[in-house]
């Protein structure tokens, strides 16, 4: 079974530029998550989708971050404009069902450096 | 709000030594508790979990017991190997939260096992 795919793996941009990340979850997984992991910290949830609807985006900086999950499968996360403090690894995860003890499967992440 | 606190690393051990990583949590409701591991160059993967008080999760020689009275979920392994070198994350998921399976992570503990 293929895992969660993410691209690109690495991205370097200048501040005020825009960037987009792509995620393809495990086939059949209804729930998709985007996390931000700043160096030396644990991942922090940015947004959670159930199929193509948003379940939780309370920690998404909506003035610059946006995400969508068209057709309830792939998802994109966009930052526009980027700031220096956005430098982090962006992790995508998916789970089969939206229950408290469901295992989340993580992709390899996209490492973003903003200069 | 929910939070997870785990001991800071790095933790450096010799092969076959005993490993303990402390984790305590603060949560509303009845959380499920998890340990995730991130091996060098790889994505986060679930190591073990426990869904209710006094449950013991175990996998690959690692164990952790859900202690509600001390709000703890310490990770232990009796004899570590070089291949256990990784970053370990403690996390919780509040199963009652209406928004679903949101994971709250600790800051991670880097473990280095020397031959």
């Amino acid at each position: 079974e293929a895992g969660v795919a993410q691209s690109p793996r690495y991205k370097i941009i200048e501040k005020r530029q825009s960037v987009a990340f792509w995620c393809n979850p495990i086939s059949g997984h209804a729930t998709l998550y985007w996390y931000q992991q700043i160096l030396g910290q644990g991942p922090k949830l940015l947004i959670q989708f159930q199929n193509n609807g948003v379940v939780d985006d309370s920690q998404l900086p909506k003035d610059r971050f946006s995400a969508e999950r068209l057709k309830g499968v792939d998802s994109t996360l966009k930052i526009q404009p980027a700031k220096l403090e956005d430098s982090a690894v962006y992790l995508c995860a998916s789970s089969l069902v939206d229950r408290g003890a469901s295992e989340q499967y993580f992709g390899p992440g996209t490492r973003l450096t903003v200069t | 709000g929910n939070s997870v606190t785990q001991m800071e690393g790095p933790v450096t051990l010799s092969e076959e030594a005993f490993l303990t990583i402390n984790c305590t949590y603060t949560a509303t409701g009845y959380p499920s508790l998890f340990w995730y591991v991130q091996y060098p160059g790889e994505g986060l993967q679930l190591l073990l979990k426990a869904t209710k008080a006094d449950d013991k999760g175990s996998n690959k020689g690692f164990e952790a017991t859900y202690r509600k009275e001390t709000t703890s979920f310490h990770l232990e392994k009796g004899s570590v190997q070089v291949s256990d070198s990784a970053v370990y994350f403690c996390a919780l998921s509040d199963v009652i939260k209406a928004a679903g399976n949101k994971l709250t992570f600790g800051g991670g503990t880097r473990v280095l096992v020397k031959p």
Side-chain angles (χ1 to χ4, degrees), chain A:
Chain A
E1 179 182 77
V4 176
Q6 290 188 247
S7 67
R9 291 295 308 276
Y10 305 91
K11 190 73 177 180
I12 300 174
I13 61 172
E14 295 182 351
K15 59 184 179 183
R16 291 187 289 274
Q17 287 186 326
S18 62
V19 65
F21 313 126
W22 173 81
C23 172
N24 181 235
I26 293 174
S27 177
H29 281 195
T31 309
L32 185 146
Y33 314 79
W34 283 102
Y35 290 87
Q36 179 192 57
Q37 186 178 13
I38 294 172
L39 186 64
Q41 299 181 19
K44 181 186 79 173
L45 181 71
L46 292 175
I47 189 167
Q48 176 184 344
F49 292 93
Q50 179 76 8
N51 296 308
N52 60 351
V54 175
V55 174
D56 185 349
D57 63 356
S58 58
Q59 298 194 82
L60 186 74
K62 298 179 185 64
D63 58 333
R64 298 184 300 105
F65 285 64
S66 64
E68 61 182 9
R69 191 183 183 197
L70 299 176
K71 301 180 181 178
V73 182
D74 293 6
S75 178
T76 56
L77 176 69
K78 297 179 181 178
I79 308 175
Q80 181 178 9
K83 293 185 175 181
L84 295 177
E85 59 261 37
D86 298 332
S87 294
V89 176
Y90 290 84
L91 298 169
C92 180
S94 68
S95 65
L96 188 58
V97 292
D98 182 24
R99 286 205 300 266
S102 301
E103 178 175 355
Q104 293 186 21
Y105 295 83
F106 285 81
T110 297
R111 183 177 298 277
L112 173 67
T113 302
V114 182
T115 62

Side-chain angles (χ1 to χ4, degrees), chain B:
Chain B
N2 296 344
S3 66
V4 176
T5 302
Q6 60 182 106
M7 59 189 288
E8 292 189 17
V11 175
T12 303
L13 303 165
S14 296
E15 213 165 17
E16 299 183 1
F18 185 87
L19 170 68
T20 298
I21 303 176
N22 290 338
C23 171
T24 57
Y25 67 90
T26 302
T28 56
Y30 305 93
S32 292
L33 302 174
F34 304 82
W35 277 100
Y36 277 81
V37 60
Q38 189 169 34
Y39 297 105
E42 299 184 16
L44 276 167
Q45 54 187 276
L46 180 66
L47 181 60
L48 53 83
K49 68 181 182 185
T51 58
K52 61 183 186 295
D54 300 323
D55 265 4
K56 177 185 284 186
S58 61
N59 186 27
K60 299 182 180 180
F62 289 89
E63 292 183 341
T65 301
Y66 189 144
R67 301 288 188 199
K68 189 175 180 181
E69 64 276 13
T70 56
T71 61
S72 65
F73 193 54
H74 305 321
L75 182 69
E76 297 181 336
K77 186 173 185 181
S79 177
V80 294
Q81 306 299 313
V82 172
S83 57
D84 294 324
S85 297
V87 182
Y88 294 82
F89 292 92
C90 186
L92 69 81
S93 173
D94 190 341
V95 297
I96 291 183
K97 184 173 174 62
N101 187 17
K102 172 181 174 179
L103 286 175
T104 301
F105 285 88
T109 302
R110 181 176 300 277
V111 173
L112 177 61
V113 181
K114 296 186 174 181

